[in-house]
Amino acid sequence: MGLFGRSRDAPKREKRNAPSKEMQEFIKGVDVDSYGNSNSGVEVDEMRAMQTSAVYACVKILAETVASLPLHLFKKGKNGKKELAEQHPLFSCLYETPNEEMTSFEFRELMMQSVLLWGNGYARIIRKQGHVTELWFLKPQNMVVERDTHTGKIKYTYTDDITNQTYVYKPNQVFHLRGLSYDGVKGISPISQAREAVGLAIATEQYGAKFFGNGARPGGVLEHPGTLKDPEKLRESWNKVYQGTRNSHKVAVLEEGMKYHSIGIAPEDAQFLETRKYQVNEICRIFRVPPHLVGDLEKATFSNIEHQSIEFLQHTIRPWLVRWEQAISRMLLDESERLLYFARFNVDGLLRGDYKSRMEGYAIGRQNGWLSANDIRQLEDLSDIPEEDGGNLYLMNGNMVTLTQAIKQEGGKDGEGQEGTPNATADGTTNPKRRKR
């Protein structure tokens, strides 16, 4: 079924066009004359921000990391056990194909990109027989989220830019992934909140591009001792011959006593390189991404880069995973299903250490009886050892005894009655019928 195909929970159509973003801000009392403009003189919006290398790299690393983690639906069992709910329709929707046009990776990557730039990610929910079977991505820039004044409930007004039709959705028809929010209704855009930082980064890139586009020479003034009849023609001819990287280092010929005076500011005087480096760290701070993950290795060392990666998982990726898991539980499972099912990301792949560290950890688990050979092989993506060959046995060191056994053995002579001696029984207690010496 397509995104706007007929269904039992099809949205209502309206002929009116959704109000523009500027109109919405004007109604809220925002100064629309300065909307999107930064003090650096650059207009900043979500699409323009993605043209900045630091913003692009941060969004890419966060979106791809979340999208690449396996997302499973589990069924709760007895004694805290869980099992994969592969028979539930939502399992395939989350793990494999949310719709006929996207893979699970592509869908989650697109949703994360929307949340990271606009503060919100939207998807149309398609249900069959009461279960979610499809999720279709909705563009955040075409969505208006507001609370209905009559019902008091949230409603979603979406304008399709292909058909130019407007649809009004109920909350149970939209999967809404929110970022940081002021009111709990709609997330705020990180790009809008950090407009000045992004604007400064764009301005420095434009400055550098224009500087080198001008042949790496600052602007200047041509001085003529007399009066020029057509100064515009002289300016055009000068720029045509000497402006641009292809014309750099050419020898200028000045006639009629003309002189050239440079009036531009040298890049080192404007601290061009320092500003660009600082803006990379500033943008990384917005998205909480370690600079070494976007290619800035200036302060990265062999000793701290591993800990920075662990902190990235704990303090950056984990909150996003919790947002996803709780949003899935609230919006894609009904009240009765939430008692039995839950969604969970598998982060074991990100926590894997080097080969030596993993083997040492497996050895500890194996010797202490809480890992079997097959448990270890499954973590390493290896095939299981047959059960008759001992693949599922849990073993532990035979010299270890419980605290109760140690108390009972206290006072024994020469280790008599200890586990492993002829006088020890199967449960580790001493044999009361042993011979006297």
Side-chain angles (χ1 to χ4, degrees):
M1 181 182 292
L3 174 56
F4 299 114
R6 294 181 178 178
S7 65
R8 183 163 52 89
D9 55 349
K12 299 179 181 178
R13 295 187 179 183
E14 292 187 1
K15 295 183 179 180
R16 67 179 181 87
N17 292 328
S20 64
K21 188 175 183 180
E22 289 77 9
M23 179 58 69
Q24 297 174 44
E25 298 296 338
F26 175 77
I27 295 174
K28 296 177 181 178
V30 179
D31 184 9
V32 295
D33 293 334
S34 61
Y35 185 84
N37 294 326
S38 62
N39 290 327
S40 60
V42 178
E43 185 175 353
V44 179
D45 58 22
E46 290 79 8
M47 302 302 291
R48 182 69 179 87
M50 279 293 282
Q51 298 177 10
T52 304
S53 60
V55 174
Y56 179 87
C58 288
V59 172
K60 183 178 176 66
I61 186 66
L62 288 172
E64 289 183 343
T65 301
V66 174
S68 62
L69 293 175
L71 175 58
H72 295 294
L73 185 71
F74 290 96
K75 184 177 181 180
K76 301 176 183 178
K78 296 180 179 180
N79 301 324
K81 294 182 179 180
K82 61 181 181 180
E83 59 182 12
L84 291 176
E86 298 182 4
Q87 304 303 321
H88 196 286
L90 184 59
F91 182 92
S92 176
C93 185
L94 296 177
Y95 182 67
E96 296 175 349
T97 52
N99 57 68
E100 60 186 17
E101 297 179 356
M102 286 185 179
T103 64
S104 177
F105 180 96
E106 293 169 341
F107 173 77
R108 283 184 278 154
E109 182 184 41
L110 195 54
M111 288 288 288
M112 281 297 300
Q113 176 183 325
S114 298
V115 181
L116 292 168
L117 293 176
W118 281 271
N120 299 273
Y122 306 99
R124 172 75 169 93
I125 300 174
I126 304 296
R127 288 182 172 88
K128 289 182 180 179
Q129 298 179 353
H131 297 296
V132 177
T133 57
E134 295 180 66
L135 293 171
W136 290 85
F137 175 75
L138 299 174
K139 296 180 180 179
Q141 61 269 36
N142 296 346
M143 182 71 77
V144 176
V145 184
E146 56 190 351
R147 191 174 296 278
D148 195 319
T149 56
H150 298 290
T151 63
K153 295 183 178 181
I154 298 174
K155 69 175 183 178
Y156 298 84
T157 305
Y158 183 74
T159 302
D160 183 20
D161 52 6
I162 298 178
T163 62
N164 199 29
Q165 291 183 335
T166 301
Y167 302 85
V168 179
Y169 296 111
K170 299 177 181 179
N172 63 349
Q173 295 175 315
V174 176
F175 176 60
H176 184 185
L177 185 65
R178 298 186 186 92
L180 187 65
S181 176
Y182 286 144
D183 55 8
V185 175
K186 187 176 181 180
I188 59 176
S189 168
I191 301 301
S192 176
Q193 295 299 306
R195 182 173 60 245
E196 298 300 338
V198 177
L200 182 56
I202 296 175
T204 53
E205 285 190 358
Q206 290 181 347
Y207 174 82
K210 290 180 179 179
F211 177 75
F212 287 100
N214 196 36
R217 295 177 180 272
V221 174
L222 286 174
E223 179 185 356
H224 193 279
T227 302
L228 290 174
K229 296 181 179 179
D230 192 354
E232 187 64 28
K233 183 177 180 181
L234 176 62
R235 182 186 297 107
E236 291 179 357
S237 62
W238 176 271
N239 291 336
K240 182 177 181 181
V241 177
Y242 300 109
Q243 191 178 46
T245 54
R246 294 184 178 181
N247 299 323
S248 60
H249 307 296
K250 283 188 176 181
V251 178
V253 178
L254 302 177
E255 300 177 349
E256 301 179 0
M258 287 193 300
K259 297 179 181 180
Y260 176 80
H261 302 280
S262 176
I263 60 173
I265 301 176
E268 56 271 15
D269 295 335
Q271 294 184 332
F272 172 68
L273 294 178
E274 290 79 1
T275 301
R276 292 210 64 186
K277 288 181 180 179
Y278 177 77
Q279 287 311 113
V280 171
N281 289 325
E282 187 79 355
I283 292 174
C284 286
R285 188 178 296 115
I286 297 170
F287 294 100
R288 205 186 298 171
V289 173
H292 75 271
L293 291 179
V294 298
D296 184 3
L297 302 176
E298 183 177 4
K299 297 182 180 180
T301 63
F302 179 78
S303 59
N304 69 6
I305 198 167
E306 180 179 358
H307 294 285
Q308 289 186 46
S309 299
I310 295 175
E311 291 178 354
F312 172 68
L313 174 61
Q314 293 177 341
H315 303 299
T316 304
I317 296 300
R318 186 175 180 275
W320 285 113
L321 302 185
V322 174
R323 288 181 188 274
W324 271 91
E325 292 168 354
Q326 295 186 356
I328 291 172
S329 176
R330 188 177 71 86
M331 302 177 191
L332 303 184
L333 296 173
D334 59 33
E335 187 175 354
S336 60
E337 288 179 322
R338 284 195 288 270
L339 299 176
L340 296 175
Y341 301 96
F342 65 95
R344 192 73 78 236
F345 283 91
N346 186 351
V347 297
D348 291 342
L350 295 180
L351 295 174
R352 287 168 65 96
D354 57 85
Y355 184 80
K356 180 181 179 181
S357 299
R358 296 202 311 274
M359 294 304 109
E360 291 176 349
Y362 294 152
I364 295 174
R366 180 69 166 153
Q367 293 172 6
N368 288 277
W370 50 272
L371 279 179
S372 67
N374 284 339
D375 291 337
I376 297 173
R377 295 179 67 85
Q378 289 172 5
L379 293 173
E380 290 294 317
D381 294 328
L382 300 174
S383 58
D384 288 353
I385 298 175
E387 187 171 359
E388 57 269 20
D389 293 336
N392 294 325
L393 291 178
Y394 292 89
L395 310 175
M396 63 181 301
N397 195 330
N399 293 326
M400 300 177 66
V401 296
T402 65
L403 180 61
T404 304
Q405 293 171 349
I407 295 174
K408 290 182 179 180
Q409 293 172 2
E410 186 178 358
K413 298 180 180 180
D414 299 327
E416 287 184 353
Q418 292 184 358
E419 187 177 40
T421 65
N423 294 330
T425 61
D427 60 355
T429 59
T430 58
N431 188 354
K433 297 183 180 181
R434 65 179 183 275
R435 293 182 179 178
K436 295 183 180 180
R437 293 185 179 180

